[in-house]
Amino acid sequence: MRFTSEQRHDDGVLERSFTLGDIPGILWTPAAAPAPLILLGHPGGLRAMHPRLSGRAHQAAAAGYASATIELPGSGDRPRSVSADQARADLRAALTAGEPVTDDIIDRLVLPLVDAAVPEWQAALDALLPLPELRGPVGYSGGVISIGVRLAVVEPRVSAALLFAGSFVPRAIFDEARQLTIPLLVLLQWDDEGNDRRMALNLFDALGSTEKTLHANLGGHTGVPAFEGDDGNRFFARHLK
Amino acid sequence: MRFTSEQRHDDGVLERSFTLGDIPGILWTPAAAPAPLILLGHPGGLRAMHPRLSGRAHQAAAAGYASATIELPGSGDRPRSVSADQARADLRAALTAGEPVTDDIIDRLVLPLVDAAVPEWQAALDALLPLPELRGPVGYSGGVISIGVRLAVVEPRVSAALLFAGSFVPRAIFDEARQLTIPLLVLLQWDDEGNDRRMALNLFDALGSTEKTLHANLGGHTGVPAFEGDDGNRFFARHLK
């Protein structure tokens, strides 16, 4: 891992860009160290997502957490995936035609992404956690929910996860969701134009953890109320000891 | 209103029993006055409900809120309602036989209760709010959700409501729910053996307020996690200024 730039913000947060091999990433650390680390999940495209990720990182820093994120495979400046682009085109065609989105499309769109991304997030943990300003246990916060589920199942360093509800979850991920045991908080935007509410509720139902909470708020995909940031911090405060 | 007994608890909370006409009630006030008042809703039967109501009142007092509750019509030591008892027997017979619970049974069970209870909660506000240790705005917290919905629609002194999801909500109450405008937090126990999850989600969907949040937790009817008490206090802190 190599730090490529750094910026100290007015609230004392140090924001550093890094590369992990050819994967770009960002680390935000609060003044008080060592801080428990929260991995910030997102749908891909770090540059476009930066304002929202940065907002989440500063809100987490105010509660004492460091945050880190990496670019997803096939997004941002990373090499695109021909098969993922094809699956995305098939998805768009089905939605435009008002046809059902088949399991095949969902599997082709999501499963290779999960297969590629999860080991990268684990490699990011390997690189980040030795830093003296960071410590475990680790939280995962955000989407893609299929990545969050897989990572939470296979990675013992992740002790709690705040998952953003999403549609287009492969059946295989439902099966993995049933194996989850860590505490979970799921955020659902009730009127999310891009998400299927019923599928999101079905996935919440399938999650195997005995401590799981759903927070549903009125509004669209990007309309998560600010108070959910505080709720998320309190969720992690209960579980990242 | 007449106070009939009082008890000072170790945490400084003063608990007083009162009667309002022939309606028994309880008022809990924190040491710091005047405190915003939260009305504690419940399914009826103050004596059996006392441990849980008291727990909620002490948790609210720790955040600076006073709490009050009154017995429901037909419950506890109050005169029973022959028609409500008949509706309850019909409900039990339908459930035992595995037959659908008809709108007629739900209407006969719930609507007369709402019609009778809501003016009593309003009368309780009339009697309580002049006390120097209390102030508005007022919150409503608890079940019966049909009572909470009606009260929140007709009573302008209620500025925010934390509603416990429940089944057996009359269609007429769904129509009233669409008229709601105050901020709402709805608690749903995901595995509540006595509640229909789909109906609870449909009612949440119908609520007219632009700020509404659903908190669903794993577990049965009485398994609401302790952290939801803190979440409720923060919800009221945002809205009972």
Coordinates of all heavy atoms in Angstrom, one line a residue, chain A residues 10-90:
Chain A
D10 N -10.4 20.7 8.6 CA -10.6 21.6 9.7 C -11.1 20.8 11.0 O -10.8 21.3 12.1 CB -11.7 22.6 9.4 CG -11.2 23.6 8.4 OD1 -10.0 23.7 8.1 OD2 -12.0 24.3 7.8
D11 N -11.8 19.7 10.8 CA -12.2 18.9 12.0 C -11.1 18.0 12.5 O -11.4 17.1 13.4 CB -13.5 18.2 11.7 CG -13.3 17.2 10.5 OD1 -12.2 17.1 10.0 OD2 -14.3 16.5 10.2
G12 N -9.9 18.1 12.0 CA -8.8 17.3 12.5 C -8.7 16.0 11.8 O -7.7 15.2 12.0
V13 N -9.6 15.7 10.9 CA -9.5 14.4 10.1 C -8.4 14.5 9.1 O -8.3 15.5 8.3 CB -10.9 14.1 9.5 CG1 -10.8 12.9 8.6 CG2 -11.9 13.9 10.5
L14 N -7.6 13.4 9.1 CA -6.6 13.3 8.0 C -7.1 12.4 6.9 O -7.5 11.2 7.2 CB -5.3 12.7 8.6 CG -4.1 12.5 7.7 CD1 -3.6 13.8 7.1 CD2 -3.0 11.7 8.4
E15 N -7.2 12.9 5.7 CA -7.7 12.2 4.6 C -6.5 11.8 3.7 O -5.8 12.7 3.2 CB -8.8 13.0 3.8 CG -9.2 12.2 2.5 CD -10.4 13.0 1.8 OE1 -10.9 13.9 2.4 OE2 -10.6 12.6 0.6
R16 N -6.3 10.6 3.4 CA -5.2 10.1 2.6 C -5.7 9.2 1.5 O -6.4 8.3 1.7 CB -4.1 9.4 3.4 CG -3.3 10.3 4.3 CD -2.4 9.5 5.2 NE -3.1 9.0 6.3 CZ -2.5 8.2 7.3 NH1 -1.3 7.9 7.2 NH2 -3.3 7.8 8.3
S17 N -5.2 9.6 0.2 CA -5.5 8.6 -0.9 C -4.4 7.6 -0.9 O -3.2 7.9 -0.5 CB -5.5 9.4 -2.2 OG -6.6 10.3 -2.2
F18 N -4.7 6.4 -1.3 CA -3.6 5.4 -1.4 C -3.9 4.5 -2.6 O -5.0 4.6 -3.2 CB -3.5 4.6 -0.1 CG -4.8 3.8 0.2 CD1 -5.0 2.5 -0.4 CD2 -5.7 4.3 1.2 CE1 -6.1 1.8 0.0 CE2 -6.8 3.5 1.5 CZ -7.1 2.3 0.9
T19 N -2.9 3.7 -3.0 CA -3.1 2.7 -3.9 C -2.7 1.4 -3.3 O -1.7 1.3 -2.6 CB -2.3 2.9 -5.2 OG1 -0.9 3.1 -4.9 CG2 -2.8 4.1 -6.0
L20 N -3.4 0.3 -3.6 CA -3.1 -1.0 -3.1 C -3.0 -1.8 -4.4 O -4.0 -2.2 -5.0 CB -4.3 -1.5 -2.2 CG -4.2 -2.9 -1.6 CD1 -3.2 -2.8 -0.4 CD2 -5.5 -3.3 -1.1
G21 N -1.7 -2.0 -4.8 CA -1.5 -2.5 -6.1 C -2.1 -1.5 -7.1 O -1.7 -0.3 -7.0
D22 N -3.0 -1.9 -7.9 CA -3.6 -0.9 -8.9 C -5.0 -0.5 -8.4 O -5.7 0.1 -9.2 CB -3.6 -1.5 -10.3 CG -4.5 -2.8 -10.3 OD1 -4.9 -3.3 -9.3 OD2 -4.8 -3.3 -11.4
I23 N -5.3 -0.7 -7.1 CA -6.6 -0.3 -6.6 C -6.5 1.0 -5.9 O -5.8 1.1 -4.9 CB -7.2 -1.4 -5.7 CG1 -7.1 -2.8 -6.3 CG2 -8.6 -1.1 -5.2 CD1 -7.4 -3.9 -5.4
P24 N -7.2 2.0 -6.3 CA -7.2 3.3 -5.5 C -8.1 3.2 -4.3 O -9.1 2.4 -4.3 CB -7.8 4.3 -6.5 CG -8.2 3.6 -7.7 CD -8.0 2.1 -7.5
G25 N -7.7 3.9 -3.2 CA -8.5 3.9 -2.0 C -8.3 5.2 -1.2 O -7.4 6.0 -1.6
I26 N -9.1 5.3 -0.2 CA -9.0 6.5 0.6 C -9.2 6.1 2.1 O -9.9 5.2 2.4 CB -10.2 7.5 0.3 CG1 -10.3 7.8 -1.2 CG2 -10.0 8.8 1.1 CD1 -11.5 8.6 -1.5
L27 N -8.3 6.7 2.9 CA -8.4 6.5 4.4 C -8.6 7.8 5.1 O -7.9 8.8 4.8 CB -7.0 5.9 4.8 CG -6.8 5.7 6.3 CD1 -7.8 4.7 6.9 CD2 -5.4 5.2 6.6
W28 N -9.6 7.8 6.0 CA -9.9 9.0 6.8 C -9.6 8.6 8.3 O -10.2 7.6 8.8 CB -11.3 9.4 6.7 CG -11.8 9.9 5.4 CD1 -11.9 11.2 5.0 CD2 -12.4 9.2 4.3 NE1 -12.4 11.3 3.8 CE2 -12.7 10.1 3.3 CE3 -12.6 7.8 4.1 CZ2 -13.3 9.7 2.1 CZ3 -13.1 7.4 2.9 CH2 -13.5 8.3 1.9
T29 N -8.7 9.3 9.0 CA -8.5 9.0 10.4 C -8.7 10.2 11.2 O -8.3 11.3 10.9 CB -7.0 8.5 10.6 OG1 -6.1 9.4 9.8 CG2 -6.8 7.1 10.1
P30 N -9.4 10.0 12.4 CA -9.6 11.1 13.3 C -8.3 11.4 14.1 O -7.4 10.6 14.1 CB -10.7 10.5 14.3 CG -10.5 9.1 14.3 CD -9.9 8.7 12.9
A31 N -8.3 12.5 14.8 CA -7.1 12.9 15.6 C -6.8 11.8 16.6 O -5.6 11.5 16.8 CB -7.3 14.3 16.2
A32 N -7.8 11.3 17.3 CA -7.5 10.3 18.4 C -7.2 9.0 17.8 O -8.0 8.4 17.1 CB -8.7 10.3 19.4
A33 N -6.1 8.4 18.2 CA -5.7 7.1 17.6 C -5.3 6.2 18.8 O -4.9 6.7 19.9 CB -4.5 7.3 16.7
P34 N -5.3 4.9 18.7 CA -5.8 4.2 17.5 C -7.3 4.2 17.4 O -8.0 4.1 18.5 CB -5.3 2.8 17.6 CG -5.1 2.6 19.1 CD -4.9 3.9 19.7
A35 N -7.9 4.3 16.2 CA -9.3 4.3 16.1 C -9.8 3.0 15.4 O -9.1 2.5 14.5 CB -9.7 5.5 15.2
P36 N -11.0 2.5 15.9 CA -11.6 1.3 15.2 C -11.9 1.7 13.7 O -12.3 2.8 13.5 CB -12.8 1.0 16.0 CG -12.8 1.9 17.2 CD -11.9 3.0 16.9
L37 N -11.7 0.7 12.8 CA -11.9 1.0 11.4 C -13.2 0.6 10.9 O -13.7 -0.5 11.2 CB -10.8 0.3 10.6 CG -10.8 0.4 9.1 CD1 -10.6 1.8 8.7 CD2 -9.7 -0.5 8.5
I38 N -13.8 1.5 10.1 CA -15.1 1.1 9.4 C -14.8 1.2 7.9 O -14.3 2.2 7.4 CB -16.2 2.1 9.8 CG1 -16.6 2.0 11.2 CG2 -17.4 1.9 8.9 CD1 -17.6 3.0 11.7
L39 N -15.1 0.1 7.2 CA -15.0 0.0 5.8 C -16.2 0.6 5.1 O -17.3 0.2 5.5 CB -14.8 -1.5 5.3 CG -13.6 -2.2 5.8 CD1 -13.6 -3.6 5.4 CD2 -12.3 -1.5 5.4
L40 N -16.0 1.6 4.3 CA -17.2 2.3 3.7 C -17.5 1.6 2.3 O -16.8 1.8 1.3 CB -16.9 3.7 3.4 CG -16.7 4.6 4.7 CD1 -16.5 6.1 4.3 CD2 -17.8 4.4 5.7
G41 N -18.6 0.9 2.3 CA -19.0 0.3 1.0 C -19.7 1.3 0.1 O -20.3 2.3 0.7
H42 N -19.7 1.1 -1.2 CA -20.4 2.0 -2.1 C -20.6 1.3 -3.4 O -20.1 0.2 -3.6 CB -19.4 3.2 -2.3 CG -18.1 2.9 -2.8 ND1 -17.8 2.7 -4.2 CD2 -16.9 2.6 -2.2 CE1 -16.6 2.3 -4.3 NE2 -16.0 2.2 -3.2
P43 N -21.4 1.9 -4.4 CA -21.7 1.1 -5.6 C -20.6 1.2 -6.7 O -20.9 0.7 -7.8 CB -23.0 1.9 -6.0 CG -22.8 3.2 -5.5 CD -22.1 3.1 -4.2
G44 N -19.5 1.8 -6.4 CA -18.4 1.9 -7.4 C -18.4 3.3 -8.0 O -19.4 4.0 -8.1
G45 N -17.1 3.8 -8.3 CA -17.0 5.1 -8.8 C -16.6 6.1 -7.7 O -17.4 6.9 -7.3
L46 N -15.3 5.9 -7.2 CA -14.9 6.7 -6.0 C -15.0 8.2 -6.2 O -15.4 8.9 -5.3 CB -13.5 6.4 -5.7 CG -13.2 5.2 -4.7 CD1 -11.8 5.2 -4.3 CD2 -14.1 5.2 -3.5
R47 N -14.7 8.7 -7.5 CA -14.7 10.1 -7.7 C -16.1 10.7 -7.5 O -16.3 11.7 -6.8 CB -14.1 10.4 -9.1 CG -13.0 11.5 -9.0 CD -12.6 12.0 -10.4 NE -12.3 10.9 -11.3 CZ -11.1 10.3 -11.5 NH1 -10.1 10.8 -10.8 NH2 -10.9 9.3 -12.3
A48 N -17.1 10.1 -8.2 CA -18.4 10.6 -8.1 C -19.0 10.4 -6.7 O -19.8 11.2 -6.2 CB -19.3 9.9 -9.1
M49 N -18.6 9.3 -6.0 CA -19.1 9.0 -4.7 C -18.4 9.8 -3.6 O -18.8 9.8 -2.4 CB -18.9 7.5 -4.4 CG -19.9 6.6 -5.1 SD -21.6 6.9 -4.6 CE -21.6 6.5 -2.9
H50 N -17.3 10.5 -3.9 CA -16.5 11.1 -2.9 C -17.2 12.1 -1.9 O -17.0 12.0 -0.7 CB -15.3 11.9 -3.5 CG -14.3 12.4 -2.4 ND1 -14.5 13.7 -1.9 CD2 -13.3 11.8 -1.8 CE1 -13.5 13.9 -1.0 NE2 -12.8 12.8 -0.9
P51 N -18.1 13.0 -2.4 CA -18.8 13.8 -1.4 C -19.6 13.0 -0.4 O -19.5 13.4 0.8 CB -19.7 14.7 -2.3 CG -19.1 14.6 -3.7 CD -18.5 13.3 -3.8
R52 N -20.3 12.0 -0.8 CA -21.1 11.2 0.1 C -20.2 10.4 1.0 O -20.5 10.3 2.2 CB -22.2 10.4 -0.6 CG -23.4 11.2 -1.1 CD -24.1 10.6 -2.2 NE -24.7 9.3 -1.8 CZ -25.2 8.5 -2.7 NH1 -25.1 8.7 -4.0 NH2 -25.8 7.4 -2.3
L53 N -19.2 9.8 0.5 CA -18.3 9.0 1.3 C -17.6 9.8 2.3 O -17.4 9.5 3.5 CB -17.3 8.2 0.4 CG -17.9 7.1 -0.5 CD1 -16.8 6.7 -1.5 CD2 -18.2 5.9 0.4
S54 N -17.2 11.0 1.9 CA -16.5 11.9 2.7 C -17.4 12.4 3.9 O -17.0 12.4 5.0 CB -16.0 13.1 1.9 OG -15.4 14.1 2.7
G55 N -18.6 12.7 3.6 CA -19.6 13.1 4.6 C -19.8 12.0 5.6 O -19.8 12.2 6.8
R56 N -19.9 10.7 5.1 CA -20.0 9.6 6.1 C -18.7 9.4 6.9 O -18.8 9.2 8.1 CB -20.3 8.3 5.3 CG -21.8 8.2 4.8 CD -21.9 7.3 3.6 NE -21.5 5.9 3.8 CZ -21.4 5.0 2.9 NH1 -21.5 5.3 1.6 NH2 -21.0 3.8 3.2
A57 N -17.6 9.6 6.3 CA -16.3 9.4 7.0 C -16.2 10.5 8.1 O -15.7 10.2 9.2 CB -15.1 9.5 6.0
H58 N -16.5 11.7 7.8 CA -16.4 12.8 8.8 C -17.4 12.6 10.0 O -17.0 12.9 11.1 CB -16.6 14.2 8.2 CG -15.4 14.6 7.4 ND1 -14.3 15.4 8.0 CD2 -15.0 14.5 6.1 CE1 -13.4 15.6 7.1 NE2 -13.8 15.1 5.9
Q59 N -18.6 12.1 9.6 CA -19.5 11.9 10.7 C -19.0 10.7 11.6 O -19.2 10.8 12.8 CB -20.9 11.5 10.1 CG -22.1 11.8 11.0 CD -23.4 11.8 10.3 OE1 -23.5 11.4 9.1 NE2 -24.5 12.1 11.0
A60 N -18.4 9.7 11.0 CA -17.9 8.6 11.7 C -16.7 9.1 12.6 O -16.5 8.7 13.7 CB -17.5 7.5 10.8
A61 N -15.9 10.0 12.0 CA -14.7 10.5 12.7 C -15.1 11.2 14.0 O -14.4 11.2 15.0 CB -13.8 11.3 11.8
A62 N -16.2 12.0 13.9 CA -16.7 12.7 15.0 C -17.0 11.8 16.2 O -17.0 12.2 17.3 CB -17.9 13.6 14.6
A63 N -17.3 10.6 15.9 CA -17.6 9.6 16.9 C -16.4 8.7 17.2 O -16.6 7.7 18.0 CB -18.8 8.7 16.5
G64 N -15.3 9.0 16.6 CA -14.1 8.3 17.0 C -13.6 7.2 16.1 O -12.7 6.4 16.4
Y65 N -14.3 7.1 14.9 CA -14.0 6.0 14.0 C -13.1 6.5 12.8 O -13.3 7.5 12.3 CB -15.2 5.3 13.4 CG -16.1 4.8 14.5 CD1 -17.2 5.4 15.0 CD2 -15.7 3.6 15.2 CE1 -18.0 4.9 16.0 CE2 -16.4 3.1 16.2 CZ -17.6 3.7 16.6 OH -18.3 3.2 17.7
A66 N -12.2 5.6 12.4 CA -11.5 5.8 11.1 C -12.4 5.1 10.0 O -13.1 4.2 10.3 CB -10.1 5.2 11.1
S67 N -12.3 5.6 8.8 CA -13.0 5.0 7.7 C -12.0 4.8 6.5 O -11.1 5.6 6.3 CB -14.1 5.9 7.2 OG -15.0 6.2 8.2
A68 N -12.3 3.7 5.8 CA -11.5 3.5 4.6 C -12.4 2.9 3.5 O -13.4 2.2 3.8 CB -10.3 2.5 4.9
T69 N -12.0 3.2 2.3 CA -12.7 2.6 1.1 C -11.8 2.3 0.0 O -10.7 2.9 -0.1 CB -13.9 3.5 0.7 OG1 -14.8 2.8 -0.2 CG2 -13.4 4.7 0.0
I70 N -12.2 1.4 -0.9 CA -11.4 1.2 -2.1 C -12.3 1.1 -3.3 O -13.5 0.9 -3.1 CB -10.6 -0.2 -2.0 CG1 -11.5 -1.3 -1.7 CG2 -9.4 -0.1 -1.0 CD1 -10.8 -2.7 -1.7
E71 N -11.8 1.4 -4.5 CA -12.6 1.3 -5.7 C -13.0 -0.1 -6.0 O -12.3 -1.0 -5.6 CB -11.7 1.9 -6.9 CG -12.5 2.0 -8.2 CD -13.7 2.9 -8.1 OE1 -14.8 2.4 -7.6 OE2 -13.6 4.1 -8.5
L72 N -14.2 -0.2 -6.6 CA -14.7 -1.6 -6.9 C -14.1 -2.0 -8.2 O -13.7 -1.2 -9.1 CB -16.2 -1.6 -7.0 CG -17.0 -1.4 -5.7 CD1 -18.5 -1.7 -6.0 CD2 -16.5 -2.3 -4.6
P73 N -13.9 -3.4 -8.4 CA -13.5 -3.9 -9.7 C -14.4 -3.4 -10.8 O -15.6 -3.4 -10.7 CB -13.6 -5.4 -9.5 CG -13.7 -5.6 -8.1 CD -14.3 -4.4 -7.4
G74 N -13.8 -2.9 -11.9 CA -14.6 -2.5 -13.1 C -15.2 -1.1 -13.0 O -15.9 -0.6 -13.9
S75 N -14.9 -0.4 -11.8 CA -15.5 1.0 -11.7 C -14.4 2.0 -11.7 O -13.2 1.7 -11.6 CB -16.2 1.1 -10.3 OG -17.4 0.4 -10.4
G76 N -14.8 3.3 -11.8 CA -13.8 4.4 -11.8 C -12.8 4.2 -12.8 O -13.1 4.0 -14.0
D77 N -11.5 4.4 -12.4 CA -10.4 4.3 -13.4 C -9.9 2.8 -13.6 O -9.0 2.6 -14.3 CB -9.2 5.1 -13.0 CG -9.6 6.6 -12.9 OD1 -10.5 7.0 -13.7 OD2 -8.9 7.3 -12.1
R78 N -10.6 1.9 -12.9 CA -10.1 0.5 -13.0 C -10.6 -0.1 -14.4 O -11.6 0.3 -14.9 CB -10.6 -0.3 -11.8 CG -10.1 0.3 -10.5 CD -10.3 -0.7 -9.4 NE -9.7 -2.0 -9.5 CZ -9.9 -3.0 -8.7 NH1 -10.7 -2.9 -7.7 NH2 -9.2 -4.1 -8.9
P79 N -9.9 -1.2 -14.9 CA -10.3 -1.8 -16.1 C -11.8 -2.3 -16.1 O -12.2 -2.9 -15.1 CB -9.4 -3.0 -16.3 CG -8.2 -2.7 -15.4 CD -8.7 -1.8 -14.3
R80 N -12.5 -2.0 -17.1 CA -13.9 -2.4 -17.1 C -14.0 -3.9 -17.4 O -13.1 -4.5 -17.9 CB -14.7 -1.6 -18.2 CG -14.7 -0.1 -18.0 CD -15.8 0.6 -18.8 NE -17.1 0.3 -18.3 CZ -17.7 0.8 -17.2 NH1 -17.0 1.8 -16.5 NH2 -18.9 0.5 -16.9
S81 N -15.1 -4.5 -16.9 CA -15.4 -5.9 -17.2 C -16.4 -6.0 -18.3 O -17.5 -5.5 -18.2 CB -15.9 -6.5 -15.9 OG -16.7 -7.7 -16.2
V82 N -16.0 -6.7 -19.4 CA -16.9 -6.9 -20.5 C -18.1 -7.6 -20.1 O -19.3 -7.2 -20.5 CB -16.1 -7.6 -21.7 CG1 -17.1 -7.9 -22.8 CG2 -14.9 -6.8 -22.2
S83 N -18.0 -8.6 -19.3 CA -19.1 -9.4 -19.0 C -20.1 -8.7 -18.0 O -21.3 -8.8 -18.2 CB -18.7 -10.8 -18.3 OG -17.9 -10.5 -17.2
A84 N -19.5 -7.8 -17.1 CA -20.3 -7.0 -16.3 C -21.1 -6.0 -17.1 O -22.3 -5.7 -16.9 CB -19.5 -6.4 -15.2
D85 N -20.4 -5.4 -18.1 CA -21.0 -4.4 -18.9 C -22.2 -5.0 -19.7 O -23.2 -4.4 -19.9 CB -20.0 -3.7 -19.9 CG -19.1 -2.8 -19.2 OD1 -19.4 -2.4 -18.0 OD2 -18.1 -2.3 -19.7
Q86 N -22.0 -6.2 -20.2 CA -23.0 -6.9 -20.9 C -24.2 -7.2 -20.0 O -25.4 -7.0 -20.4 CB -22.5 -8.3 -21.5 CG -23.5 -9.0 -22.3 CD -24.0 -8.2 -23.5 OE1 -23.2 -7.7 -24.3 NE2 -25.3 -8.1 -23.6
A87 N -23.9 -7.7 -18.8 CA -25.0 -7.9 -17.8 C -25.8 -6.7 -17.5 O -27.0 -6.7 -17.4 CB -24.4 -8.6 -16.5
R88 N -25.0 -5.5 -17.4 CA -25.7 -4.3 -17.1 C -26.6 -3.8 -18.2 O -27.7 -3.3 -18.0 CB -24.6 -3.2 -16.8 CG -25.1 -2.0 -15.9 CD -24.0 -1.1 -15.4 NE -23.2 -1.8 -14.4 CZ -21.9 -2.1 -14.5 NH1 -21.3 -1.9 -15.6 NH2 -21.3 -2.7 -13.5
A89 N -26.1 -4.1 -19.5 CA -26.9 -3.7 -20.6 C -28.1 -4.6 -20.7 O -29.2 -4.1 -21.0 CB -26.1 -3.9 -21.9
D90 N -28.0 -5.9 -20.4 CA -29.2 -6.8 -20.3 C -30.2 -6.4 -19.3 O -31.4 -6.4 -19.5 CB -28.7 -8.2 -20.1 CG -27.8 -8.8 -21.2 OD1 -27.8 -8.2 -22.3 OD2 -27.1 -9.8 -21.0

